Amino acid sequence: MSPDVRLDLVSWLSRIVLLFACLSHAFYIPGYSIRSYQDNDNIPLLVNKVYSDKSQLQYAYFDLPFVCPPTGQKHHGSSHASGHSIPLNLGEVLRGDRIKTSDIEVDMGQDVDCQYLCDRVVSRTDMEWAKELIKEEYVTEWILDNLPGATSFVTVDRSRKYYAAGFKMGYKDFDLATGKPKYFYYNHYTLVVRWRPAPGTAGDKGAKVIVGFEVYPKSISAGHRNETGCPRDVTGDQEPLALYMPSNTSSLREQFPDSSYVPEEEIDTSDNATLTIPYTYSVYFREDKEVEWASRWDLYFSDQADSKFTHWLAIVNSLIISGILGAVCVVIWGRTMQGDIKGRGDGVLEEARLRIGKRSDKKKSTNGLLEKLTDAGPDEELSSDEEPLEEITGWKLLHGDVFRPPPYGGLLAPLIGSGMQLVFVVVGLLSLSCAGVINPSWRGGFWSVGIGLFVVAGTFSGYFSGRVYKTFGGQNWRKNTMMTALLFPGLVFSLVFVLNLFCWAQASSTALPFTTLMGLACLWLLIQLPLVHLGSYWGYYRSSAWEHPTRTNAIPRQIPAQAWYAKHQIGLILGAGLASFAVLFIELIFVFKSLYLDKSSYYYVFGFLSIISALLSVTIAETVIITTYIQLCAENYQWWWQSFFVGGSSGFWIFVYSVWYYATRLHIDGFVSSLLFFSYTTLACAVYSLATGTIGFLTAYMFVRRIYSDVKVD
């Protein structure tokens, strides 16, 4: 290669590297790319939604009739006017986010003691809605530099600070004269933006990064304001803004002369009374060198950091349960299975079959056996070939029926395929979360990646469903493919659509837009369905059926009367599921707390959850081996469905725990919120049971295949 060509090649490579370097600075990747600001740079403040721990309904911030509506004006240095909708990913839409730019102006390094925002005139109906939201303890979510506005707390010993995402809309107090509740609304917001110099050379040039965003709301009445609309003294004690409108009825004023409170049942909401709510805000920038930009989210996880001991306790608890069940499996495998096979020889069942054939031969009478017994001396014993047939009992007698296709195998195969699809999704989500790819700074990333993995995993679903269906002897593979592609996703989509109607009726942002529903339907029918078809074709036509070590008899063996512990299979299944639930129980407390009891916190101890999930899979495998062995020893060869139900039975106990949690820990009010809670809880338990049931089925199949692999019957 000539020197000129080398120089041209190096030049082009350097240009390509420079281009990628420029592109990397042009795009912001949440959680990884650092965004820095110079003094006076505008920092967009975004408003999202309001939500509560006592309700499953969320509302977009600008849909509330008592907040300042967007004016449509642009801030200096901003490319979007207020009220502009920020593009959202699929996960953000699913979690009810509705992010828009606001009129609050925040410039790096510029403190604002007080800035007037607007006067909002509300009707009595709107005021009653505000009171209801305060009563339900709704909190507001604002976003600055991808950080949610936080309420700051300090530990009892004042040694450490931690955050709770969001801030309350108001508070409830009681009238001392009447003892009735009164509601006060927060209408002044003090924003504290904590920053530090940007790392590297950018910090030497004056660039700054944001490491904290705190919001301190305050209720200030409409009186005692200056010409700018701001209170004369923002920091001092002010009379709070009460959500109260005097009634126009003179009889009510005569009935309650000394009280500013009027009972709700006496209020006439049809009158034209109004209430003016003035809005103001303050902005302060404070330097904080103790928090690094890379660890700025740690303040939101401080409560989980304090619970590390409990997480380790959950792991120890899981290890103990898994170890006990593992010891039982070792006894079953080491002493019973291997002992029976090695002690009697590989051809024991063949010998038994031959002796049965000899005894059934019409030409041979019982006189031969009596002759032998007569000729034998008193000290002689029968040879090993002439052992009593009664010793061959239990699981060894099922070699001709143990691999008989189960009833309704055409339904079990699609369920196994969908279960493998969910297992792939769970493993992918836990792996990406532990690696830090999915993190809270990527808002909606968990749901977006989960749906993407679910669609791509349609290939695995079709492959396993087709191969299991072929193993069961199925002939109509196209029907099996359509059931795999439409059964589980169709049920989920139908449930979500019906629940969405209730959310639409409540004007909640929890309701998915119609375009989002159509997008999900397109992902399902236009992408996942062809992938399932491709995987099913490969599993049915391009792959052979799973070969069984023994041949299945033409006539099914009659199942004898079962013992008490095997007769009631529902009790056996639920008992086995209780062991698996005990492994998951402690970690489940933290998951439920983040989902329902404290939505302002983020569950992000996926490392512990991954360990618990691995131990859960091992425990499910052990319980399935034990219950399958019990069933085979009872000469019951219908183990296919039982192994699936045993693996997924812990989902029943999770649902029972959810009902207990709803009744004792949650304070959810309203029919729609309760309907959403139980519907989505049932769906989550069904998804869990489908994945764990598939693990149980595959474990049982490998176990049965292994114990009969040394038994060859022609």
Side-chain angles (χ1 to χ4, degrees):
M1 184 180 295
S2 63
D4 294 337
V5 176
R6 292 178 182 175
L7 289 175
D8 291 340
L9 181 60
V10 172
S11 176
W12 276 106
L13 289 176
S14 62
R15 292 177 184 179
I16 294 174
V17 172
L18 181 61
L19 175 62
F20 278 103
C22 294
L23 290 176
S24 65
H25 288 285
F27 294 96
Y28 171 72
I29 303 176
Y32 296 95
S33 301
I34 299 179
R35 176 179 293 174
S36 60
Y37 302 90
Q38 297 288 341
D39 286 338
N40 298 321
D41 283 352
N42 180 259
I43 309 173
L45 190 144
L46 310 176
V47 296
N48 188 5
K49 61 185 178 182
V50 296
Y51 58 90
S52 171
D53 299 337
K54 295 184 177 182
S55 175
Q56 301 299 305
L57 298 175
Q58 307 172 102
Y59 301 96
Y61 182 78
F62 277 145
D63 288 346
L64 301 178
F66 45 84
V67 303
C68 285
T71 61
Q73 298 179 355
K74 289 185 179 181
H75 300 302
H76 73 277
S78 177
S79 57
H80 300 295
S82 65
H84 171 77
S85 295
I86 303 300
L88 305 177
N89 58 49
L90 180 59
E92 288 176 312
V93 177
L94 292 177
R95 65 193 295 267
D97 290 348
R98 303 294 184 267
I99 304 176
K100 296 184 178 181
T101 56
S102 71
D103 284 295
I104 297 178
E105 188 169 359
V106 180
D107 298 327
M108 174 58 75
Q110 302 300 313
D111 290 349
V112 178
D113 291 332
C114 183
Q115 177 64 46
Y116 170 77
L117 196 58
C118 79
D119 279 343
R120 183 66 166 174
V121 179
V122 299
S123 64
R124 188 182 297 277
T125 302
D126 298 337
M127 184 194 71
E128 292 299 323
W129 190 16
K131 292 167 62 175
E132 185 67 24
L133 295 182
I134 295 174
K135 179 181 179 181
E136 296 294 328
E137 299 182 3
Y138 271 78
V139 297
T140 306
E141 182 179 337
W142 289 356
I143 303 170
L144 187 75
D145 192 46
N146 204 42
L147 283 177
T151 301
S152 178
F153 297 94
V154 180
T155 56
V156 177
D157 58 358
R158 307 187 67 84
S159 61
R160 186 165 46 86
K161 180 174 66 175
Y162 61 96
Y163 285 163
F167 56 92
K168 290 187 176 182
M169 300 182 64
Y171 66 96
K172 182 175 70 172
D173 203 350
F174 292 91
D175 192 317
L176 297 179
T178 62
K180 300 294 184 178
K182 298 176 63 176
Y183 297 91
F184 300 92
Y185 185 75
Y186 291 136
N187 60 330
H188 179 83
Y189 310 102
T190 300
L191 313 180
V192 178
V193 182
R194 302 196 178 275
W195 62 273
R196 64 170 298 143
T201 57
D204 299 334
K205 297 178 181 179
K208 303 174 182 178
V209 294
I210 297 176
V211 296
F213 175 38
E214 303 168 6
V215 181
Y216 299 90
K218 188 175 183 180
S219 179
I220 302 177
S221 65
H224 305 287
R225 294 177 177 267
N226 55 31
E227 60 279 1
T228 63
C230 287
R232 293 191 176 93
D233 186 9
V234 176
T235 60
D237 293 334
Q238 299 284 344
E239 181 183 355
L241 176 66
L243 294 177
Y244 163 74
M245 293 183 188
S247 174
N248 294 330
T249 306
S250 58
S251 60
L252 290 179
R253 289 196 297 268
E254 294 175 358
Q255 184 177 355
F256 303 97
D258 300 327
S259 175
S260 61
Y261 173 80
V262 178
E264 294 183 1
E265 60 272 13
E266 301 291 345
I267 294 177
D268 181 13
T269 58
S270 62
D271 62 7
N272 297 323
T274 59
L275 174 67
T276 301
I277 303 178
Y279 283 89
T280 54
Y281 67 92
S282 303
V283 182
Y284 298 99
F285 286 85
R286 295 293 181 266
E287 184 176 8
D288 190 345
K289 293 185 177 181
E290 296 182 358
V291 180
E292 297 288 344
W293 187 91
S295 59
R296 62 179 187 166
W297 280 89
D298 291 352
L299 292 173
Y300 295 90
F301 309 138
S302 60
D303 58 334
Q304 296 178 14
D306 294 339
S307 59
K308 284 185 178 180
F309 174 78
T310 308
H311 291 292
W312 283 112
L313 180 63
I315 293 177
V316 173
N317 170 73
S318 304
L319 286 172
I320 293 174
I321 296 175
S322 179
I324 294 174
L325 295 176
V328 176
C329 292
V330 168
V331 171
I332 291 175
W333 185 259
R335 295 186 179 179
T336 307
M337 296 299 177
Q338 297 287 49
D340 287 347
I341 293 175
K342 293 179 180 179
R344 299 192 54 86
D346 293 343
V348 60
L349 295 179
E350 173 64 13
E351 296 170 6
R353 187 182 66 82
L354 292 176
R355 278 182 289 162
I356 293 175
K358 290 178 181 179
R359 291 192 177 188
S360 63
D361 194 348
K362 295 181 179 180
K363 296 181 180 181
K364 184 174 181 180
S365 64
T366 57
N367 295 333
L369 180 59
L370 294 174
E371 245 177 0
K372 182 179 288 188
L373 292 174
T374 304
D375 295 340
D379 296 334
E380 295 181 356
E381 297 179 356
L382 293 176
S383 64
S384 61
D385 292 338
E386 296 163 348
E387 295 179 305
L389 188 62
E390 288 72 20
E391 293 186 11
I392 308 174
T393 58
W395 66 273
K396 297 182 287 275
L397 296 177
L398 302 180
H399 64 89
D401 296 278
V402 71
F403 293 106
R404 185 177 302 280
Y408 306 105
L411 175 61
L412 182 58
L415 293 179
I416 297 302
S418 298
M420 285 302 301
Q421 186 178 12
L422 293 172
V423 169
F424 177 84
V425 172
V426 172
V427 172
L429 287 175
L430 290 178
S431 301
L432 293 174
S433 298
C434 292
V437 177
I438 302 178
N439 54 77
S441 62
W442 184 7
R443 189 174 290 101
F446 191 87
W447 285 106
S448 299
V449 174
I451 292 178
L453 291 175
F454 184 82
V455 172
V456 173
T459 307
F460 296 91
S461 175
Y463 174 81
F464 280 93
S465 176
R467 197 162 186 186
V468 171
Y469 183 71
K470 186 176 183 179
T471 303
F472 290 163
Q475 301 296 325
N476 193 350
W477 76 279
R478 295 184 183 275
K479 177 183 177 182
N480 176 73
T481 301
M482 295 304 295
M483 285 190 65
T484 305
L486 301 179
L487 179 61
F488 174 71
L491 292 176
V492 173
F493 186 84
S494 301
L495 177 62
V496 171
F497 182 80
V498 172
L499 295 177
N500 213 48
L501 297 177
F502 289 93
C503 296
W504 270 336
Q506 298 292 323
S508 170
S509 65
T510 308
L512 300 180
F514 182 76
T515 54
T516 302
L517 288 175
M518 291 300 99
L520 292 173
C522 291
L523 286 175
W524 170 29
L525 299 176
L526 300 182
I527 299 180
Q528 185 194 3
L529 194 149
L531 290 177
V532 173
H533 191 277
L534 178 63
S536 182
Y537 174 81
W538 192 270
Y540 190 86
Y541 278 109
R542 297 294 183 179
S543 302
S544 60
W546 288 333
E547 296 182 0
H548 300 148
T550 61
R551 181 183 300 174
T552 301
N553 296 331
I555 301 176
R557 177 185 176 87
Q558 184 177 2
I559 300 176
Q562 301 293 291
W564 65 270
Y565 54 83
K567 184 176 181 180
H568 303 285
Q569 290 196 1
I570 295 180
L572 183 65
I573 290 172
L574 294 180
L578 192 59
S580 302
F581 174 74
V583 172
L584 190 64
F585 171 71
I586 298 179
E587 196 65 31
L588 199 65
I589 296 175
F590 295 96
V591 175
F592 270 63
K593 180 182 178 182
S594 298
L595 287 177
Y596 300 116
L597 196 58
D598 190 6
K599 297 178 183 178
S600 60
S601 65
Y602 298 91
Y603 180 88
Y604 208 65
V605 285
F606 287 101
F608 289 105
L609 186 60
S610 299
I611 298 175
I612 295 296
S613 300
L615 293 174
L616 175 66
S617 301
V618 173
T619 304
I620 290 174
E622 293 168 344
T623 55
V624 167
I625 289 174
I626 295 172
T627 54
T628 302
Y629 176 71
I630 292 174
Q631 188 174 15
L632 295 179
C633 287
E635 301 182 20
N636 185 351
Y637 52 84
Q638 296 178 351
W639 56 271
W640 305 89
W641 278 104
Q642 176 178 292
S643 63
F644 181 81
F645 288 137
V646 168
S649 58
S650 54
F652 170 79
W653 295 110
I654 294 178
F655 181 79
V656 172
Y657 175 75
S658 302
V659 175
W660 175 84
Y661 202 84
Y662 173 87
T664 60
R665 292 292 184 269
L666 302 182
H667 304 282
I668 296 178
D669 298 326
F671 170 76
V672 176
S673 293
S674 299
L675 177 66
L676 292 176
F677 174 84
F678 284 107
S679 299
Y680 284 123
T681 298
T682 303
L683 178 60
C685 293
V687 169
Y688 169 87
S689 297
L690 198 56
T692 54
T694 300
I695 296 175
F697 172 86
L698 296 177
T699 301
Y701 180 78
M702 290 186 290
F703 171 72
V704 174
R705 183 186 176 92
R706 179 64 184 86
I707 66 175
Y708 286 94
S709 61
D710 293 329
V711 178
K712 303 296 182 182
V713 180
D714 297 328

